Amino acid sequence: MRLIVLRATSVFLLALAAACGTDATSPMVPPPPPPPPPPTSAQDGLWVVSGNPPAILRLDPTQLTDTGQRVPATILTTPSAGLRTLAGVAFDGAGNLWVTSDDDSLLLAFAPGALASSGTKAASRVITPTRGSLSGPIGLAFDSQQRLWVVNHRSATVVRFDPAQLAAGGVQTPALVLSVPGTPVAIAFDGAGSLWVSDNQLRVIYKYTAAQLAASGSPPPAFVLTAADSFVNPTGVAFDAAGNLWVANNGRSNLLAFTPAQLAGAGPLEPNVVITSSAGALGIPIGLAFEQDGSLWVVGGTGVLAKFAPAGLGASGAVAPSVRLKVSGHVLFWSAALWPKPTGLPLN
C-alpha cells in the first residue's frame, strides 16, 4: 500500500559564579565573568527532508525562535538517492545524518563535513537492499547501542543494522528482521528499550519488548495501543522525558499523548491529552521531535513546522504553537532530527 499522507535549540543555563566574600580590611574582589555559551557548529539546528523539490534542509537555531517564513540556512541535494517522496532522518552519536529514501529503497549517511554548507553532496555511505532488506524505508531510530532500526512500509518489516554494517555501507543483510502486522510507518524507543511501531493502515501502535528484539521473527506484539478508535492514520511517535508517548494523528490533524500507565495497559484507552489545531497551525501533522527542554516540534507534510512549549502540552485543547514556521519553496516533509541530539530523553 503506497502512502499518500504526506529538535534545534538546546537550552543551556549559565552558572553565575558567587561573589567573593569580603571583610573590613580586604578590598572587594569582583566576581569572575560568566562562562561563554557553548560553541555552535554549522550543523546545529533542525533538519528535515523535502520531497518536492528533493532536498535535505537545515534551519539554524536563530531561525527557530519566532514565527515566520524561512529560507533554510542549509540546502543539500544529492546524486545518491531520489528523495522524491518520504524520507526519515536521524543522527547517530558521531553527528552523521542518516536518511531513508522511500522511492528507491536506500539508506544514506552524510558526514558532519558534508552538512556544514549548502550544495550538492554525495552520501558518505549508502546501504543498498538485498533480497528485500530495504523496501520502502521511511522511519528510523537508533537504540542505546547505536544500532539503527529502519521501518519498511512496503514489506511490513523493521530491520536492524549494527554499527559495523553502518560503517561499511554497501550491500548489507540486516542483523535482525522483525515482521509486523499492517503498514508500519514510524518507530520510537522508550526508556526501557522497548520498540513502539505506528501502523498507518490498521490504526494502532504496537509495542515490542527488548527481549522480543533479540532475534528475527514475527512475535506477537507485547501490547497493542488502540486508543479507543481515536487513531486515524497515526504516523510519527516520540517519547517525552516523563515517558509519555506522543502520536501525530494526521487523519484528524491532532496530537495524542498516553501516560506510562496507559502504555502498561493500566489506564483508560482514550488519550490522556489531545492537542487540536489552533487556526490550522498543525496542518497535516506527520513527524515529531522533542527538544531537551520538553518543547515539541511537529513536522507538517505541507512544509509547516510548529513548536509547542511544555506548558501547552499538559492538557487537552486547542493550543497555539509558540513558533510556527513555513519553509519557503519546499513541501512533502516526513520527519525531523535535531543536532546536537537532546540528552535525557528516551530514544526517538
Side-chain angles (χ1 to χ4, degrees):
M1 172 179 176
R2 188 75 174 175
L3 295 181
I4 302 174
V5 294
L6 323 155
R7 184 182 288 177
T9 306
S10 294
V11 177
F12 296 93
L13 299 177
L14 298 177
L16 186 61
C20 296
T22 185
D23 57 32
T25 60
S26 61
M28 177 69 73
V29 178
T40 60
S41 77
Q43 75 179 78
D44 288 4
L46 179 70
W47 291 83
V48 296
V49 176
S50 71
N52 184 22
I56 301 168
L57 312 173
R58 178 183 72 102
L59 298 178
D60 73 32
T62 66
Q63 295 180 297
L64 303 174
T65 58
D66 57 2
T67 293
Q69 194 93 1
R70 296 291 187 270
V71 175
T74 303
I75 302 176
L76 299 179
T77 58
T78 183
S80 302
L83 302 181
R84 291 179 295 271
T85 51
L86 306 179
V89 289
F91 278 103
D92 65 22
N96 299 292
L97 180 65
W98 289 86
V99 179
T100 59
S101 183
D102 176 23
D103 44 307
D104 38 19
S105 292
L106 296 174
L107 179 59
L108 317 174
F110 293 87
L115 304 177
S117 61
S118 297
T120 299
K121 311 288 180 72
S124 58
R125 278 155 287 167
V126 179
I127 294 181
T128 56
T130 174
R131 303 171 71 176
S133 58
L134 294 171
S135 180
I138 54 173
L140 71 172
F142 281 93
D143 66 17
S144 60
Q145 300 179 56
Q146 287 295 290
R147 303 177 300 189
L148 182 57
W149 298 75
V150 180
V151 177
N152 290 309
H153 76 91
R154 294 181 196 156
S155 60
T157 58
V158 179
V159 298
R160 191 190 84 201
F161 295 97
D162 290 348
Q165 295 178 297
L166 300 177
V171 178
Q172 295 289 338
T173 300
L176 182 146
V177 178
L178 184 72
S179 295
V180 300
T183 302
V185 295
I187 55 175
F189 284 95
D190 66 19
S194 296
L195 180 68
W196 295 79
V197 184
S198 64
D199 187 324
N200 191 263
Q201 177 186 5
L202 300 183
R203 301 182 176 184
V204 295
I205 296 177
Y206 308 112
K207 173 188 177 181
Y208 294 92
T209 65
Q212 291 178 299
L213 303 178
S216 296
S218 305
F223 180 70
V224 179
L225 182 65
T226 63
D229 298 324
S230 296
F231 291 139
V232 180
N233 299 333
T235 50
V237 288
F239 284 91
D240 64 21
N244 300 296
L245 174 65
W246 289 82
V247 182
N249 196 30
N250 82 73
R252 287 184 174 163
S253 292
N254 60 15
L255 308 176
L256 311 178
F258 301 86
T259 66
Q262 289 178 295
L263 302 179
L269 296 175
E270 295 82 4
N272 182 58
V273 174
V274 180
I275 303 296
T276 56
S277 188
S278 173
L282 283 172
I284 304 173
I286 298 293
L288 303 176
F290 275 100
E291 289 193 4
Q292 189 160 323
D293 71 350
S295 298
L296 177 62
W297 283 98
V298 181
V299 178
T302 57
V304 173
L305 302 171
K307 176 182 176 180
F308 291 85
L313 301 175
S316 296
V319 180
S322 58
V323 176
R324 187 177 188 271
L325 307 177
K326 175 68 177 177
V327 181
S328 300
H330 295 270
V331 295
L332 193 53
F333 294 179
W334 184 248
S335 72
L338 291 158
W339 187 262
K341 295 181 71 171
T343 59
L345 289 170
L347 302 164
N348 301 322

